[in-house]
Amino acid sequence: MARKTINILLVTAVLVSGTWGFIRLGYWNRSVRIFSYGQTENMAGRDGREGGFRSGHIDREAFRERESGARFRDRTLPQDSVKGQNRGNFRPGFPGGPGDSRGRGEGFRRGGHEGGSTINLAKVSWFLAVFAAFVTITIYTDKLVKYLNAKRAARKILPDQQT
Amino acid sequence: MNRLKFYLSLSVTVVMLLLMDPRSFFGLGFHEWAGLIIGLFFILHKILNWTWIKKVTMGFFRKCTARTRLNYILDYFLLAGMILMILSGIAIARTIDLSWIKPGGSPFFWRIMHTSSSFLTLALFGVHLGLHWKWVLQRLRIKKA
């Protein structure tokens, strides 16, 4: 009896945490997102850019060209221009100042979220919870199907025995 | 053989969970390399179960039970998910230079494909493990064969 109670509590905990993780991670939306890709693509095209995300690689190349062009213009700014004077006034560590990685192709877009040697398993534990819930649901569904099959088989045998 | 299969399956499960978030465990470098290695592990898993695959493929419509058919179809989808996951991972790889096998198309598409296929594959993985739970308990010596 005690074993059964522990089992029920454990299964309930797994299912509750799994459901919570499922909602928290936006599991359903992220799973089926690929099936609504065409719609997302069309929406992306509405902002006036030709092709939206369809021409993502072309957009990225164009973006890089624009970026390098802007950097070249920045380098060749006349010293007496306002922008040119301001460039020297930024302090290290401040936005736009020396040491700021923005605009230099670093940070998230260039793989800056590599994280180094950090371990943060908080998000992984939510995935584990969802995974455990899937396993648990399958185990008990399997048991239910087996039980129903056995019952059906017993019902079939019984009339045979009567005759 | 069964022990090897068990440890292989266990390592694939653990690594798969660690790979679900690229930022959680040693960053993107680990994510990409371990993703490729998990692909090799998956192929090894298939090789180790090749006799079963061959047997079921030969008698899918004649000899198999409904459960075996379900397992076979599930494995088929798992394989498809794994291939899509690795292919899309290669397409959006940043730390490994795989430009020589880079498939075409937009990175945005491959990013969505990578997320969706990994989420769906993890769910299928859970169902697969659930259907083989008895085997797992037998390996852990909790249940007798």
Side-chain angles (χ1 to χ4, degrees):
Chain A
M1 186 67 191
R3 202 176 161 182
K4 227 173 193 177
T5 313
I6 291 167
N7 222 2
I8 290 167
L9 284 174
L10 208 69
V11 168
T12 313
V14 166
L15 290 179
V16 167
S17 58
T19 312
W20 198 0
F22 195 89
I23 295 162
R24 211 185 142 101
L25 292 166
Y27 206 94
W28 178 253
N29 286 336
R30 288 164 84 179
S31 298
V32 297
R33 211 176 152 200
I34 191 66
F35 301 113
S36 58
Y37 173 70
Q39 291 161 16
T40 323
E41 193 185 30
N42 292 337
M43 276 169 72
R46 273 190 222 157
D47 64 355
R49 281 183 299 166
E50 201 183 1
F53 286 112
R54 195 177 299 153
S55 56
H57 63 291
I58 300 165
D59 278 356
R60 187 182 275 185
E61 278 165 22
F63 172 74
R64 277 187 191 145
E65 275 169 28
R66 280 201 302 274
E67 272 279 279
S68 60
R71 252 179 271 150
F72 179 74
R73 278 196 301 279
D74 270 7
R75 268 206 306 272
T76 53
L77 276 173
Q79 284 301 310
D80 57 341
S81 72
V82 177
K83 201 174 178 184
Q85 281 171 0
N86 282 341
R87 274 179 66 203
N89 293 338
F90 287 124
R91 281 180 287 161
F94 281 79
D100 181 32
S101 62
R102 289 186 307 177
R104 287 209 304 269
E106 293 165 21
F108 182 82
R109 297 294 299 166
R110 299 292 294 169
H113 73 311
E114 284 171 30
S117 57
T118 50
I119 300 171
N120 179 16
L121 298 178
K123 213 170 176 185
V124 172
S125 60
W126 286 116
F127 280 108
L128 176 66
V130 175
F131 179 71
F134 276 122
V135 175
T136 311
I137 290 166
T138 310
I139 291 167
Y140 283 93
T141 310
D142 193 30
K143 274 187 181 176
L144 183 74
V145 169
K146 269 182 189 166
Y147 171 74
L148 291 175
N149 280 344
K151 218 174 176 184
R152 201 187 299 161
R155 222 181 287 158
K156 256 185 191 174
I157 292 165
L158 224 63
D160 290 346
Q161 282 174 346
Q162 281 171 351
T163 53
Chain B
M1 184 64 109
N2 269 332
R3 192 176 278 187
L4 175 67
K5 274 185 196 174
F6 176 74
Y7 285 117
L8 190 74
S9 306
L10 185 72
S11 55
V12 168
T13 311
V14 171
V15 175
M16 177 83 185
L17 282 168
L18 289 174
L19 292 181
M20 285 312 287
D21 183 40
R23 273 160 281 185
S24 291
F25 200 76
F26 290 116
L28 200 63
F30 173 84
H31 181 82
E32 288 178 1
W33 280 110
L36 284 177
I37 292 165
I38 214 179
L40 295 175
F41 275 23
F42 190 78
I43 292 165
L44 189 62
H45 180 81
K46 291 280 160 214
I47 291 168
L48 288 173
N49 292 296
W50 188 246
T51 322
W52 182 85
I53 295 168
K54 208 172 148 184
K55 215 165 124 184
V56 178
T57 310
M58 294 296 186
F60 186 81
F61 294 106
R62 286 170 290 143
K63 297 173 197 166
C64 296
T65 58
R67 193 190 167 85
T68 312
R69 279 190 199 129
L70 174 71
N71 268 319
Y72 190 82
I73 293 165
L74 188 76
D75 284 6
Y76 179 79
F77 279 114
L78 257 174
L79 179 69
M82 213 65 190
I83 290 169
L84 281 175
M85 218 160 70
I86 293 169
L87 197 71
S88 53
I90 287 168
I92 55 169
R94 285 183 193 159
T95 60
I96 310 171
D97 184 26
L98 293 162
S99 48
W100 49 283
I101 37 170
K102 272 220 160 122
S106 87
F108 181 72
F109 168 76
W110 287 118
R111 185 166 291 282
I112 293 178
M113 174 64 86
H114 194 63
T115 310
S116 291
S117 57
S118 55
F119 276 57
L120 289 171
T121 308
L122 186 75
L124 290 176
F125 223 155
V127 176
H128 179 81
L129 183 61
L131 288 173
H132 289 86
W133 193 243
K134 203 175 162 188
W135 180 83
V136 174
L137 294 181
Q138 280 166 4
R139 298 285 82 72
L140 291 168
R141 295 180 200 286
I142 293 171
K143 205 168 194 170
K144 278 181 187 169

